[in-house]
Amino acid sequence: IASLGAGSPQMENLLKRVLTDDALKQMADPNLGVAAETPKKPGESWDRAVPVNLGPIGTYNVTYKFTYVGAEKDGMDKIDVAVTLDYAALKESPEGLLFRIKDGTLKTDPAAPGKGTILYDPKAQRIASADISFKLKGELTVTIGGTDTKVELTQEQRTAVKAADASFVAPAAPVPPKK
């Protein structure tokens, strides 16, 4: 946070308030709640709602709908996922920032939610791989210095994850000692 906010106390303040321990834990959740509480048959679904608190910026309310497709030949469980996001601005005005997101309608298109596929390794109890994409679209009202400005925003996001027991990065060659 200190290096990202270097030279800008406002940016450092914002990052400290957005990148909280809880927010980082949510973003780093390696399984996204993929494992169902009870065994599922092909075609059965389960949901997980996750609020992602971005501090003074607002909150994303994320809903994942998982559908169990079935076991693959390699023993992995294939799971389809649909993702919907809906942004909520803070009700109160955050202190210490040069701007405020007053309101907004940023969300995924209900007719075309984000989607993806997850391969879950039941033996390791973790995601082996995932590829999820979604598109956000909407309008935000940003207040800067008492002036409201409408901002149209379109964001496309793709998350690809692959897990392994060994590093994907080749070890660096040893550096010979200086003479």
Side-chain angles (χ1 to χ4, degrees), residues 53-164:
N53 184 345
L54 299 174
I57 295 176
T59 302
Y60 278 119
N61 296 304
V62 186
T63 302
Y64 298 95
K65 180 177 182 176
F66 301 105
T67 302
Y68 182 63
V69 176
E72 299 284 286
K73 290 180 183 177
D74 59 3
M76 299 292 168
D77 287 330
K78 185 175 180 181
I79 301 165
D80 284 342
V81 60
V83 182
T84 55
L85 284 89
D86 191 6
Y87 170 78
L90 283 181
K91 301 296 181 209
E92 69 277 357
S93 181
E95 294 185 25
L97 297 180
L98 297 174
F99 69 94
R100 174 181 178 229
I101 301 175
K102 190 174 179 179
D103 61 25
T105 59
L106 187 61
K107 58 184 167 183
T108 51
D109 181 349
K115 58 184 176 179
T117 301
I118 296 170
L119 292 179
Y120 184 80
D121 183 341
K123 290 180 184 171
Q125 296 184 341
R126 69 172 181 221
I127 291 175
S129 66
D131 195 342
I132 302 169
S133 299
F134 61 86
K135 184 177 181 177
L136 293 173
K137 191 172 184 175
E139 189 175 90
L140 301 175
T141 302
V142 180
T143 304
I144 302 172
T147 303
D148 289 352
T149 303
K150 296 273 186 192
V151 177
E152 288 186 34
L153 180 68
T154 300
Q155 175 185 344
E156 292 185 37
Q157 181 174 322
R158 177 177 178 238
T159 302
V161 175
K162 187 167 185 157

Side-chain angles (χ1 to χ4, degrees), residues 30-44:
N31 289 313
L32 299 169
V34 168
E37 291 182 17
T38 59
K40 300 294 180 190
K41 295 178 183 170
E44 290 185 322

Side-chain angles (χ1 to χ4, degrees), residues 6-28:
S8 173
Q10 292 88 2
M11 179 58 80
E12 186 174 357
N13 183 34
L14 174 63
L15 291 172
K16 282 180 182 176
R17 295 174 69 191
V18 171
L19 299 176
T20 64
D21 286 346
D22 286 340
L24 291 171
K25 286 175 189 175
Q26 285 177 329
M27 289 184 257

